[in-house]
Amino acid sequence: MDLKQRLSSFRRSSIEKILTPQENQAKIDEVRKIIGPVANKFPVMCSDASIQRYLRARKNNAKKAAKMLKCSLKWRLEYKPEMIKWDDIAQEGALGRLYKADYLDSQGRTVLVMRPAITSASAAAGQIKYLVYCLENAIMTLSSKQQEQMVWLVDFQGWNKSCISLKITRETAQILQDHYPERLGLAVMYNPPKVFESFWTMVKPFLEPKTFKKVIFAYPDNTKSLRMMEELFDKDKLESYFGGRNTVGWTLESFSKKMKDDDNKRMSNVSEGGVSTELINESIQIDDNNSDDETSSCDTLGSTMGEDKEEINVKEGLDSPKPTILQKDESGAKP
């Protein structure tokens, strides 16, 4: 089974129930009805495509999807992610720790490259702000390519225990899962060291099962990993630290210019606004005390933004599904 077949199989297995077009539209209309008149003020966030992503994230439960979407609307009003520009995050962006690649994957999806071994120049709040900036930029590219999901490609070259930040990891997962649902198509962890396994065990409780299943571990001395990377990416464009033939990789000059150009395009399209947070709060009437609700209370979303405290209650995720790990060849021989 090739990569496309495996990913297609994953998508089918992730759907709790396949709805007919009529049933699907009825769910979308139900969510929009729950949200109320405020939906008209956010035509993009409350579009059919956007609501559909929130429904998928909540297994087609309209009530839970509506609550989740309302929380995102409130977060966007307060955080204003669409207004972040390159000049606001240039110090962090200049490091090359996180950037949008100049190429797409084989399915035409935007690729975000992460290099966590590079030391950040910002506190937690600054790192999260830059992450949000990159997500907004990536989504703009996805929309122009008629795609919904992106690929994360993580380079572990030089990574060690000193690079660990449970706080940043937790907030990254929270932002992605709470406010950008169903935007991650695949995350490739490339050549993580042995020590990463213990860190990954601590990370599992932060991830929803659907997100966890999208993570694949790949190694340069594994035949299946090499085949997967060749199926996913153009090796002539892929950076050399991922086994590609591109030895130039990321450069600040070209990246910053492109991001500034994208800023100008994005700012010209910013139209949503003028709705008070109070109006969103008044429209949120779903019981936050429902213990069966998978969503978080809007009052707690983003509450850790800017905190420096890194005290996290970590438990073993015994019920979490195992990610796909393309292990190193047992013989140690190069394929």
Side-chain angles (χ1 to χ4, degrees):
M1 183 182 292
D2 62 20
L3 178 64
K4 289 183 179 179
Q5 290 174 321
R6 293 199 300 273
L7 293 178
S8 177
S9 176
F10 162 73
R11 284 193 291 269
R12 289 195 300 270
S13 65
S14 299
I15 300 174
E16 294 295 317
K17 176 185 177 183
I18 299 178
L19 303 179
T20 66
Q22 294 78 11
E23 290 173 328
N24 187 57
Q25 187 60 51
K27 287 285 185 180
I28 292 173
D29 294 341
E30 184 181 354
V31 170
R32 194 175 281 117
K33 182 178 180 180
I34 294 172
I35 292 174
V38 73
N40 297 326
K41 300 294 184 179
F42 294 87
V44 176
M45 285 293 292
C46 296
S47 65
D48 283 6
S50 177
I51 293 175
Q52 180 64 74
R53 286 192 293 272
Y54 282 82
L55 279 167
R56 288 201 301 268
R58 290 296 172 256
K59 301 177 182 178
N60 289 319
N61 184 307
K63 184 178 180 180
K64 293 179 180 180
K67 178 181 177 181
M68 186 183 186
L69 179 51
K70 285 179 180 180
C71 290
S72 288
L73 292 175
K74 179 182 177 183
W75 174 77
R76 294 189 73 87
L77 283 170
E78 296 174 345
Y79 200 75
K80 296 180 173 56
E82 73 282 356
M83 300 305 295
I84 304 173
K85 297 183 292 186
W86 173 259
D87 290 341
D88 300 324
I89 44 75
Q91 182 180 17
E92 184 70 15
L95 300 174
R97 296 182 75 243
L98 170 63
Y99 63 89
K100 183 177 70 175
D102 291 332
Y103 52 85
L104 305 175
D105 83 333
S106 58
Q107 298 184 33
R109 297 176 295 190
T110 299
V111 178
L112 285 184
V113 174
M114 297 182 179
R115 307 189 72 189
I118 298 177
T119 303
S120 172
S122 308
Q127 294 180 54
I128 294 298
K129 187 174 184 178
Y130 180 59
L131 168 69
V132 169
Y133 171 77
C134 288
L135 289 173
E136 291 289 312
N137 180 275
I139 288 172
M140 183 181 73
T141 305
L142 287 173
S143 299
S144 67
K145 303 295 182 181
Q146 301 299 307
Q147 288 283 349
E148 285 195 326
Q149 296 185 320
M150 65 189 77
V151 173
W152 287 16
L153 192 50
V154 186
D155 168 36
F156 280 90
Q157 181 178 340
W159 191 93
N160 54 51
K161 288 183 178 180
S162 66
C163 303
I164 292 176
S165 173
L166 288 176
K167 175 180 173 56
I168 297 298
T169 302
R170 177 187 59 180
E171 293 191 5
T172 296
Q174 183 183 34
I175 289 290
L176 181 67
Q177 294 172 158
D178 290 352
H179 305 309
Y180 298 93
E182 296 299 306
R183 285 300 193 180
L184 178 64
L186 183 70
V188 180
M189 305 292 190
Y190 191 80
N191 202 27
K194 184 71 174 178
V195 68
F196 182 74
E197 293 181 7
S198 58
F199 177 68
W200 185 243
T201 298
M202 293 186 289
V203 167
K204 286 193 291 185
F206 307 153
L207 303 179
E208 295 177 356
K210 290 183 69 174
T211 302
F212 196 86
K213 288 179 181 179
K214 295 177 181 180
V215 178
I216 291 179
F217 285 62
Y219 298 91
D221 56 357
N222 175 265
T223 308
K224 291 182 179 179
S225 293
L226 292 173
R227 184 166 61 247
M228 180 199 72
M229 296 297 285
E230 290 174 353
E231 292 175 355
L232 269 177
F233 307 106
D234 183 338
K235 298 298 283 289
D236 289 329
K237 297 178 180 179
L238 185 68
E239 295 90 341
S240 57
Y241 35 86
F242 292 116
R245 290 184 282 272
N246 177 6
T247 57
V248 177
W250 177 90
T251 62
L252 175 58
E253 182 179 0
S254 61
F255 180 66
S256 60
K257 181 180 184 304
K258 180 170 179 53
M259 298 306 276
K260 289 179 181 179
D261 290 343
D262 286 350
D263 284 350
N264 293 331
K265 297 175 186 177
R266 185 160 49 89
M267 292 301 164
S268 66
N269 293 328
V270 172
S271 60
E272 296 186 350
V275 183
S276 68
T277 305
E278 288 74 16
L279 179 57
I280 297 293
N281 289 338
E282 290 174 3
S283 71
I284 297 176
Q285 299 175 350
I286 300 175
D287 183 12
D288 285 346
N289 296 320
N290 183 357
S291 61
D292 294 330
D293 198 335
E294 297 177 37
T295 60
S296 301
S297 168
C298 291
D299 292 336
T300 64
L301 290 178
S303 61
T304 58
M305 295 288 184
E307 289 183 1
D308 293 325
K309 187 177 181 181
E310 190 165 337
E311 182 178 340
I312 303 172
N313 181 21
V314 179
K315 62 180 180 179
E316 177 66 42
L318 295 177
D319 296 328
S320 299
K322 294 182 179 180
T324 301
I325 303 178
L326 303 184
Q327 299 280 6
K328 296 183 179 181
D329 288 342
E330 292 294 328
S331 64
K334 299 293 181 182

